[in-house]
Amino acid sequence: MQKFGWSKIAILQQAEEVFISTVEDLEDRCKDAGIEIVTRQSFLSDPTDAVRNLRRQDARIIVGLFYVVAARRVLCEMYKQQLYGRSYVWFFIGEFSYSSSCSSH
């Protein structure tokens, strides 16, 4: 984040213990680096409201922490809310398997 001169980020996380502790570590590191977290949104299974809140907060640099099933839902909602393109950067933290097939929602 510092390398690109970004001073503000947003966090989107699935409400699971493993992600909560990781986000707390990320928050500590951001604080030490002088990076402001403008919003921290969490969701259980449906990310619709959380992604909508990112849009309302005008989040541009977004760090996502969630499992692969939730990642698909986040990507669909990200598309619906138009949180993509040259004005947005998304970082997904975690392990994801990629397949060539895609199902529609």
Side-chain angles (χ1 to χ4, degrees):
M1 315 271 171
Q2 288 175 311
K3 180 177 180 175
F4 294 104
W6 297 330
S7 59
K8 296 179 183 181
I9 68 165
I11 297 173
L12 176 64
Q13 73 175 87
Q14 189 171 8
E16 295 281 342
E17 181 60 37
V18 65
F19 301 122
I20 292 169
S21 58
T22 304
V23 166
E24 289 171 353
D25 182 58
L26 176 61
E27 288 177 324
D28 289 342
R29 290 172 184 256
C30 285
K31 184 178 179 181
D32 292 344
I35 297 170
E36 177 187 356
I37 297 173
V38 294
T39 186
R40 176 178 169 184
Q41 299 294 319
S42 63
F43 64 94
L44 289 172
S45 61
D46 182 2
T48 302
D49 290 337
V51 175
R52 187 176 297 128
N53 287 336
L54 291 174
R55 184 167 179 79
R56 286 185 188 134
Q57 295 287 330
D58 197 30
R60 300 300 175 138
I61 312 299
I62 304 158
V63 178
L65 298 99
F66 29 75
Y67 289 118
V68 68
V69 172
R72 289 185 186 110
R73 292 183 182 130
V74 168
L75 289 169
C76 288
E77 197 57 37
M78 176 183 84
Y79 178 77
K80 290 176 191 175
Q81 295 292 327
Q82 298 180 353
L83 290 173
Y84 63 92
R86 19 177 42 187
S87 298
Y88 299 93
V89 176
W90 284 80
F91 291 95
F92 297 144
I93 298 176
E95 291 185 31
F96 298 100
S97 60
Y98 300 96
S99 72
S100 59
S101 64
C102 184
S103 62
S104 61
H105 294 280

